[in-house]
Amino acid sequence: MGLCLLSIAYSAQQRQWSCGFDNVQVPYQRQNEEIDDVIYKMRNQILKQGSNTPAKTVANKTVNGVYEIPVVVHVIAPTGASLGTAYNKTDAQIQAWLDHCNQMYAGTYQWLQGVPADFGTAAIMPIKLVLAKRDPNCNPTTGIVRYNGGTISGYDTYGVKMNTSSGATTAQVRALAPHWPEASYFNIYIINKVDGGGQYGIMGWAGLPQNPNASFESFMKSFVVTLQDDITLAHEFGHSMGLLHTFGNANSSPPAGTTSTDYCPLQTNNNCNRDDDGVCDTERSRSLLSDFPTPTNADMNYCTNSNYQGVQYNMMNYSNPIAYKFTDGQHDRSALYFFALRGALSTSLGATAPSTSTPIGTPVAACTPSGLVNAATEDFLVGPTLVKLGNINNASTGVWTYAPNYYEDYTGANCLKATSTELAINQTQSIQVNVTDSNNSVRVWIDYNNNGTFETSELVATEDNIAIDPVTLIGTFNGTFTAPSSTVMNTPLRMRVIVDYQNSNITPCGQLQWGQAEDYTVKFVTNLSTIDAKFSDNDDFIIYPNPTTAHQDIFIKTKNAKNIKVTITDMAGRLIETPSVKDEMNGTFRVNHHLLKGVYMVKVSNGKDTKASKLIVN
């Protein structure tokens, strides 16, 4: 009982000014409001036009239905702090901390005291934070990097300063431990103290996804890493996905038990999509930072003049319950903001082990679009937000203030992005391009003859007015093409993907209105396999290439080519995934897997019989 009370005391202490989000967001308040306005106008325009048929939204890169986000943890230890001590937590402790956060997102975390009787259901947030396995230079890494913070004056004694004049600035910490590329990793800084406090005061903070790269990060105290039932990481990464405090911009520390509505968030727009936290299923409420015990659903919420409906248990509130949760509305908002503004993290290869495969090369140079008619500061987020073709799987952000490039060349070798692929000649290829907002047009060219010019005959996919889902603001274009017999073989070729807004006269090298062009590398080959795919007398099916590498498609050739289903398990028989299968004709099937390095069993079923074969992923 003493330990339980100690945990409760620490949790209560932790919640006192636990989040420094409001402090760090002040410089970006105007930009945040502008992005909110853009997204709100987009959604209203789509609904007004009647384009409310949900678009087919396909996961960027999921493992068992969860988006894996590569994380690098920068541990800023004070001088002389031994590994495993209060200010220098071990790798195992940090991994357990991430695991607990992921369980909170999955709704499976086991709270020490269970959940209240009126807790309700926790929404599942399909996010998994995974320590990086390759660094920006493509070398193996644990995803945890340690630095001596004592080299910064005042750090050992005061840590990072936020509301005082003593200690290190965040800029000094970042200079000591530079960000890894924000499009490929989420950067977490574990620090010893804030304003001199190690076990009280502000416990952490993080920026919204619309922040500039230099401020898209999270700082958290070492204390919270091993604190029982701590929600700091889940709460702060919630901000990084676009979630606000449930009490909006209202006073975060009202008097305990107050019935005054002066501490309720203002209703400026009288619209739940705009007021408070911009989420409609988190009812209007004040902060409950100082309320002990936490109210139940039998208690009055004076901001709504009715009983509480669960906001007191919300992960983004300031409150002190024994368990926390997210709502379905928060799931939708985070998906919208995070994938619109930081979607590149969902296809980053940072969380996969370095590949030993040889890059397929860089294509010859070509023209570039001549510019934008409209300034990037308009923040319309126009451009390809996801491109998938073969092994290409690359999410990005359309043009906006903090990503103003109207042209991105992804053809160079880059171990952090899946931006090149080999394709089998004489086979129909499927390409997917996602967009944000309505009235977007898509064009795709491939320089089949490798002369550095995109000719009219090399336009392989085109579509105008892509349908948009009004909840996610994602539209999906799916096209097919077959390379001509005159295609230059076994040579890296340039593919250009352009998305523009209200521009049906797109040319590969002309001026864009609002959008963006992206270049990728494709190579057409006679056979994708690295072995001769022939049956022996005893084979019912074969898998090739085998061994393979992470993020390289595998193929199954089977004698019974009807209605096959593929499941992949580990060697202990645990289900890893049920991948999608595409019929490539003549008994050959492409398997779009998301396997990491390891040894697996691939099971192929035709409804009557099931056969299995070992697959090695290097």
Side-chain angles (χ1 to χ4, degrees):
M1 184 68 177
L3 178 60
C4 179
L5 289 175
L6 180 63
S7 296
I8 294 173
Y10 269 146
S11 295
Q13 188 180 52
Q14 171 210 352
R15 297 306 297 164
Q16 300 295 321
W17 295 99
S18 67
C19 177
F21 167 79
D22 295 320
N23 303 54
V24 300
Q25 283 302 130
V26 169
Y28 312 113
Q29 186 63 34
R30 180 178 177 182
Q31 183 65 36
N32 296 339
E33 292 172 351
E34 289 177 354
I35 289 292
D36 287 342
D37 286 343
V38 167
I39 289 176
Y40 181 73
K41 290 174 182 176
M42 283 182 184
R43 181 177 288 158
N44 275 1
Q45 181 182 11
I46 292 164
L47 293 173
K48 184 177 180 180
Q49 292 173 343
S51 301
N52 57 358
T53 301
K56 183 181 179 182
T57 56
V58 181
N60 293 359
K61 179 173 80 70
T62 63
V63 178
N64 293 336
V66 177
Y67 298 96
E68 291 196 336
I69 307 302
V71 169
V72 55
V73 177
H74 307 275
V75 179
I76 315 300
T79 302
S82 300
L83 190 64
T85 56
Y87 297 136
N88 194 7
K89 299 297 171 66
T90 66
D91 288 8
Q93 289 172 320
I94 292 171
Q95 181 62 66
W97 181 52
L98 293 175
D99 291 342
H100 292 162
C101 176
N102 292 331
Q103 291 162 10
M104 292 176 189
Y105 287 145
T108 61
Y109 182 77
Q110 298 298 306
W111 302 96
L112 181 64
Q113 299 180 68
V115 298
D118 58 355
F119 184 75
T121 302
I124 295 174
M125 308 290 276
I127 292 291
K128 184 178 182 181
L129 303 180
V130 180
L131 285 171
K133 293 184 176 64
R134 63 175 75 178
D135 69 15
N137 296 316
C138 308
N139 298 313
T141 180
T142 63
I144 300 172
V145 189
R146 300 178 188 275
Y147 302 85
N148 178 13
T151 60
I152 305 174
S153 177
Y155 180 82
D156 285 351
T157 303
Y158 300 102
V160 172
K161 62 182 177 183
M162 178 164 284
N163 297 314
T164 65
S165 59
S166 299
T169 65
T170 55
Q172 288 176 308
V173 172
R174 284 194 295 260
L176 173 68
H179 272 195
W180 288 15
E182 295 81 3
S184 299
Y185 308 92
F186 182 66
N187 290 265
I188 298 175
Y189 290 85
I190 296 180
I191 55 179
N192 61 341
K193 302 174 183 179
V194 177
D195 294 334
Q199 297 185 6
Y200 60 87
I202 293 172
M203 290 292 152
W205 62 87
L208 291 171
Q210 53 262 50
N211 281 8
N213 283 349
S215 296
F216 185 65
E217 63 198 5
S218 187
F219 281 74
M220 278 168 273
K221 287 181 179 177
S222 182
F223 173 63
V224 305
V225 172
T226 50
L227 182 62
Q228 176 71 46
D229 286 356
D230 181 72
I231 67 164
T232 302
L233 179 55
H235 176 102
E236 299 305 341
F237 194 74
H239 287 315
S240 296
M241 293 189 290
L243 298 181
L244 307 176
H245 292 139
T246 55
F247 50 85
N249 290 325
N251 189 316
S252 62
S253 56
T258 182
T259 61
S260 172
T261 58
D262 291 344
Y263 298 96
C264 299
L266 296 176
Q267 290 185 296
T268 306
N269 301 285
N270 292 316
N271 182 334
C272 61
N273 287 306
R274 304 278 282 168
D275 288 327
D276 308 341
D277 61 348
V279 176
C280 290
D281 62 358
T282 56
E283 74 264 29
R284 188 167 175 250
S285 168
R286 65 174 175 84
S287 165
L288 299 170
L289 179 68
S290 302
D291 286 58
F292 299 95
T294 297
T296 70
N297 286 350
D299 294 315
M300 176 65 71
N301 177 353
Y302 290 93
C303 294
T304 62
N305 203 31
S306 60
N307 285 3
Y308 280 99
Q309 300 175 34
V311 72
Q312 70 273 29
Y313 305 127
N314 197 274
M315 193 75 72
M316 302 308 296
N317 201 349
Y318 280 4
S319 56
N320 304 282
I322 59 174
Y324 295 84
K325 64 179 181 178
F326 291 102
T327 68
D328 290 335
Q330 288 174 317
H331 167 280
D332 292 346
R333 178 183 170 94
S334 64
L336 193 163
Y337 277 77
F338 186 71
F339 289 111
L341 298 167
R342 297 290 171 176
L345 284 170
S346 68
T347 57
S348 167
L349 302 181
T352 62
S355 173
T356 58
S357 61
T358 303
I360 66 175
T362 302
V364 299
C367 62
T368 59
S370 56
L372 281 179
V373 173
N374 301 285
T377 53
E378 295 293 340
D379 290 339
F380 280 105
L381 303 172
V382 180
T385 57
L386 178 67
V387 175
K388 297 185 72 173
L389 170 66
N391 290 329
I392 293 172
N393 184 23
N394 186 52
S396 58
T397 301
V399 176
W400 67 298
T401 299
Y402 295 135
N405 293 339
Y406 59 86
Y407 172 65
E408 294 285 357
D409 188 353
Y410 294 120
T411 60
N414 187 333
C415 75
L416 298 178
K417 295 178 180 293
T419 56
S420 62
T421 189
E422 290 187 348
L423 300 172
I425 196 71
N426 298 328
Q427 287 188 0
T428 300
Q429 308 296 337
S430 298
I431 186 169
Q432 175 187 332
V433 180
N434 283 9
V435 302
T436 298
D437 199 6
S438 57
N439 296 324
N440 277 299
S441 297
V442 174
R443 302 288 187 272
V444 181
W445 292 265
I446 295 178
D447 184 14
Y448 286 128
N449 60 12
N450 198 34
N451 68 352
T453 301
F454 296 108
E455 293 148 4
T456 302
S457 60
E458 295 175 329
L459 179 66
V460 301
T462 177
E463 183 72 30
D464 296 318
N465 300 320
I466 310 299
I468 301 295
D469 183 328
V471 176
T472 64
L473 297 186
I474 293 175
T476 300
F477 163 71
N478 288 294
T480 60
F481 64 91
T482 302
S485 58
S486 59
T487 298
V488 175
M489 299 287 291
N490 302 309
T491 301
L493 305 177
R494 186 175 296 269
M495 178 176 75
R496 176 157 297 171
V497 180
I498 293 181
V499 171
D500 206 359
Y501 175 71
Q502 293 185 341
N503 180 10
S504 59
N505 189 31
I506 301 172
T507 60
C509 305
Q511 193 171 34
L512 301 172
Q513 292 292 320
W514 310 87
Q516 188 178 60
E518 296 180 349
D519 283 1
Y520 296 87
T521 305
V522 299
K523 179 191 287 186
F524 288 92
V525 296
T526 303
N527 192 338
L528 288 178
S529 71
T530 58
I531 61 172
D532 188 13
K534 295 181 179 179
F535 290 107
S536 68
D537 291 339
N538 297 323
D539 285 332
D540 289 298
F541 75 94
I542 55 175
I543 302 172
Y544 63 95
N546 188 12
T548 186
T549 58
H551 303 289
Q552 178 182 8
D553 284 350
I554 58 174
F555 293 82
I556 292 175
K557 194 170 181 66
T558 176
K559 292 179 179 178
N560 189 339
K562 293 183 179 180
N563 303 318
I564 74 164
K565 179 181 179 181
V566 176
T567 57
I568 301 176
T569 68
D570 62 18
M571 297 307 290
R574 292 183 291 262
L575 178 65
I576 301 300
E577 63 175 284
T578 304
S580 61
V581 178
K582 179 186 176 185
D583 189 348
E584 299 284 352
M585 308 300 290
N586 300 319
T588 300
F589 297 83
R590 182 196 298 265
V591 181
N592 183 22
H593 72 89
H594 298 94
L595 300 175
L596 303 180
K597 183 177 180 180
V599 180
Y600 303 90
M601 291 300 295
V602 178
K603 298 180 180 180
V604 179
S605 172
N606 62 7
K608 295 181 180 180
D609 300 314
T610 299
K611 302 292 183 179
S613 180
K614 183 186 295 184
L615 173 67
I616 299 173
V617 180
N618 292 322

